[in-house]
C-alpha cells in the first residue's frame, strides 16, 4: 500500500515537472505598444493540404481598444482572420473583414474552435517543430514580426480547418 502511494506520488511529480518544462520550452512572445502577443502557433498539416491555421493570444494592457486587422505568413499566399462558432448546433465559419477586436485591458484569444488565422495557399505542408515567419498588424499599435511554432496534433480535434479545407472530392 505504502509502495503504491509512493509510486503514485512520483508519477504525479514527474507529470507536473514535465508540464512545467513543456510550458517553458514552448512559450515565446512579442510586444508592440501596449499589446503583448503570446505564443503564436500553428498545427501540422497533412501532405497536400492547402490551408493551415494560426493561433495566439493578444493581451492589451492599454486603456484603448485595438483591432487585429491583418496578418501574413511566409508559407501562405494570404492570411485571413476568421471566427468559428456554433449556432443551433451547426458549426459556422466566417471571415472577419474588419478584423478581430482587442478590448482595452482585455485580451483576444485565437484558439481552435474560435477566432483563428487562416493560412491560405500553403506552399508546403507544415511540419512539427518548424517556425513560420509572419507578421501581425493592429489598427493602432502597428505591425509586429512574429514566428508561429508548428506543433503536432493535440487538444480538441482541428475541425475548424477541416471545415474549410478545399472541397475533398
Ligand atoms: Cu477559418
Amino acid at each position: 500500500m505504502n509502495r503504491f502511494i509512493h509510486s503514485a506520488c512520483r508519477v504525479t511529480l514527474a507529470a507536473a515537472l514535465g508540464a512545467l518544462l513543456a510550458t517553458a520550452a514552448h512559450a515565446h512572445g512579442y510586444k508592440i505598444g501596449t499589446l503583448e502577443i503570446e505564443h503564436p502557433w500553428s498545427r501540422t498539416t497533412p501532405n497536400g493540404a492547402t490551408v493551415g491555421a494560426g493561433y495566439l493570444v493578444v493581451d492589451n494592457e492599454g486603456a484603448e481598444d485595438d483591432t487585429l486587422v491583418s496578418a501574413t505568413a511566409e508559407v501562405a499566399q494570404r492570411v485571413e482572420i476568421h471566427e468559428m462558432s456554433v449556432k443551433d448546433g451547426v458549426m459556422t465559419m466566417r471571415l472577419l473583414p474588419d478584423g478581430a477586436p482587442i478590448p482595452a485591458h482585455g485580451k483576444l484569444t485565437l484558439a481552435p474552435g474560435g477566432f483563428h488565422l487562416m493560412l491560405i495557399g500553403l506552399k508546403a505542408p507544415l511540419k512539427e517543430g518548424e517556425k513560420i515567419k509572419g507578421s501581425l498588424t493592429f489598427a493602432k499599435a502597428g505591425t509586429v514580426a512574429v514566428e508561429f511554432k508548428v506543433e503536432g496534433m493535440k487538444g480538441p480535434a482541428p475541425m475548424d480547418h477541416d471545415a474549410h479545407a478545399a472541397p475533398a472530392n
Side-chain angles (χ1 to χ4, degrees):
M1 189 61 195
N2 241 339
R3 223 165 97 195
F4 170 75
I5 291 170
H6 282 158
S7 60
C9 280
R10 263 202 304 277
V11 169
T12 309
L13 190 65
L17 268 173
L20 206 68
L21 289 172
T23 305
H26 281 283
H28 66 298
Y30 306 87
K31 205 168 177 356
I32 181 167
T34 63
L35 305 179
E36 269 183 24
I37 295 121
E38 296 161 18
H39 191 53
W41 65 284
S42 186
R43 270 200 166 116
T44 54
T45 58
N47 282 328
T50 56
V51 295
Y55 307 111
L56 53 110
V57 175
V58 184
D59 232 311
N60 185 0
E61 292 170 350
E64 278 188 75
D65 295 347
D66 206 336
T67 308
L68 173 62
V69 289
S70 64
T72 64
E74 267 184 4
V75 293
Q77 277 161 5
R78 69 175 199 279
V79 176
E80 292 181 352
I81 301 166
H82 286 192
E83 182 179 20
M84 194 188 99
S85 57
V86 177
K87 262 184 200 151
D88 302 325
V90 178
M91 194 174 67
T92 61
M93 178 88 55
R94 68 190 183 105
L95 167 70
L96 301 175
D98 300 323
I102 310 157
H105 300 298
K107 62 167 72 176
L108 165 67
T109 301
L110 280 71
F115 291 113
H116 57 276
L117 298 176
M118 189 106 290
L119 281 47
I120 296 167
L122 289 182
K123 296 161 189 166
L126 306 181
K127 302 268 189 250
E128 185 161 6
E130 282 179 348
K131 291 174 183 171
I132 303 168
K133 284 191 194 313
S135 68
L136 303 170
T137 298
F138 301 95
K140 289 175 186 156
T143 299
V144 61
V146 299
E147 274 184 347
F148 295 87
K149 287 190 179 174
V150 181
E151 297 179 3
M153 290 292 175
K154 64 184 176 201
M159 297 183 71
D160 43 342
H161 312 121
D162 294 352
H164 50 168
N169 301 305

